[in-house]
Amino acid sequence: MKRPVRPTRKQAAPAKVSKKSSRLERDRMKRTVKAAKRSDPRVVDFKRPVTLTRTVLRLLTVSVVLLLVFVLVAVFSPLLAVDKVEILGNSRISTKSLESALKSQLGRPLPQVTVGDITKELEDFTLIQSVSVVNLPPHTLQVRVVERQPICIIETSRGRFLYDPAGVRIDAADSSSKYPVIQAPGNAGNSSEFRAAVKALMALPVSLFPRVALVTASSIDSITFKLRGWAGQKVIWGDSSQAALKSRVLAALIANQKKSDRVTYDVSSPSAPTVRY
């Protein structure tokens, strides 16, 4: 016969300690320790050790505050004010005129000066194609300009002038200027014939460009070149389509001819080029 098993009493679960009770208990202990220290100076209050997490959080907070202070000082403090503007890259535009145009930037905090500010100050200089800015702390602003470069000569009633690919007049052309002359109707900056002639000129092999004396664009579909030399070799280019292929075909045709041969190269149909004597 089995012995009957007596039911056991379930142990009561420990009562949950609320946050309020825990805080009250800590306050009571602090008061007790303070009272004991007043009565006996040998009593020592052991503080809770500082954890690694708290240390890291404190360091991060201090770092963020210091960084913020540094940024505010760098951006707004006169300690980094501009007192010198250094101009680089200019050859046709005088340095004094550029420095005069940028005089308004003196005294400004260096980090506040932007490329947009400099570009706006120099927008009246049509010979400038682009601008870049470099800050050289503590007080130097370096401005590098890229000037427009000539690609051709246009003859007008007032003389011969150098023009860049965008049709901007750069300077007067002298006898030493060895750029090709472009003959096209209309104004250089707005003429579709001028743009077509420039596009064809820029598609030529680099080695052939110095040999071009004249580019004629009676229309956007009829572009011709005349090469330098007494032979007066000509190139019938046609329109601006298949420019890369035309360039390669023309280079191959010219390589098989002498500079003294009086010939005409026709690459208007690059798949069926011809050489006429």
Side-chain angles (χ1 to χ4, degrees):
M1 184 175 180
K2 294 182 179 181
R3 179 183 295 180
V5 180
R6 293 182 181 180
T8 58
R9 294 182 180 180
K10 293 183 179 180
Q11 294 183 353
K16 293 183 179 180
V17 180
S18 64
K19 292 183 178 180
K20 184 176 181 181
S21 301
S22 178
R23 186 168 59 254
L24 293 175
E25 181 65 20
R26 288 198 300 270
D27 294 341
R28 187 184 67 79
M29 289 294 296
K30 288 180 180 180
R31 290 195 297 272
T32 303
V33 171
K34 287 182 180 180
K37 288 174 68 177
R38 285 195 296 269
S39 60
D40 188 350
R42 293 174 298 175
V43 176
V44 179
D45 182 11
F46 291 97
K47 297 183 179 179
R48 185 171 57 179
V50 178
T51 63
L52 178 61
T53 303
R54 287 190 175 186
T55 303
V56 172
L57 288 176
R58 288 175 182 175
L59 290 176
L60 286 176
T61 303
V62 172
S63 300
V64 170
V65 172
L66 291 177
L67 179 61
L68 181 60
V69 171
F70 176 78
V71 170
L72 292 175
V73 170
V75 174
F76 298 103
S77 173
L79 296 175
L80 294 177
V82 178
D83 65 4
K84 179 183 178 182
V85 178
E86 185 178 288
I87 309 294
L88 300 175
N90 59 307
S91 59
R92 299 181 183 273
I93 309 173
S94 69
T95 301
K96 288 185 178 180
S97 61
L98 293 174
E99 289 176 345
S100 177
L102 297 175
K103 192 179 296 184
S104 60
Q105 303 301 318
L106 297 176
R108 289 188 62 188
L110 195 60
Q112 291 188 18
V113 182
T114 65
V115 177
D117 298 333
I118 302 302
T119 302
K120 187 176 181 180
E121 295 290 346
L122 301 178
E123 61 184 358
D124 292 335
F125 294 86
T126 57
L127 294 185
I128 294 179
Q129 184 172 345
S130 62
V131 175
S132 60
V133 176
V134 177
N135 294 339
L136 300 177
H139 303 297
T140 302
L141 178 68
Q142 186 181 88
V143 178
R144 182 179 294 275
V145 300
V146 176
E147 296 180 336
R148 298 182 180 273
Q149 297 301 316
I151 193 176
C152 66
I153 296 173
I154 294 182
E155 297 175 339
T156 68
S157 58
R158 297 184 178 182
R160 293 157 47 93
F161 296 95
L162 298 171
Y163 280 76
D164 80 332
V168 177
R169 192 171 78 178
I170 296 177
D171 203 350
D174 53 27
S175 58
S176 63
S177 300
K178 300 299 182 182
Y179 296 97
V181 176
I182 289 183
Q183 293 179 348
N187 182 273
N190 302 319
S191 171
S192 57
E193 290 83 2
F194 173 82
R195 291 193 295 269
V198 169
K199 186 176 181 180
L201 191 59
M202 295 180 69
L204 291 177
V206 177
S207 59
L208 184 58
F209 181 85
R211 292 184 57 187
V212 179
L214 176 66
V215 184
T216 303
S218 55
S219 69
I220 60 174
D221 298 322
S222 179
I223 302 170
T224 60
F225 300 120
K226 182 179 179 181
L227 305 185
R228 301 183 190 276
W230 71 271
Q233 295 179 344
K234 296 181 181 179
V235 178
I236 300 176
W237 187 265
D239 59 17
S240 58
S241 64
Q242 298 179 290
L245 179 58
K246 290 179 180 179
S247 176
R248 293 195 299 269
V249 171
L250 179 60
L253 294 177
I254 291 178
N256 293 324
Q257 299 292 149
K258 297 178 180 179
K259 292 183 179 180
S260 58
D261 294 340
R262 295 186 177 183
V263 296
T264 298
Y265 305 100
D266 189 343
V267 293
S268 57
S269 297
S271 57
T274 60
V275 178
R276 297 197 296 268
Y277 292 85

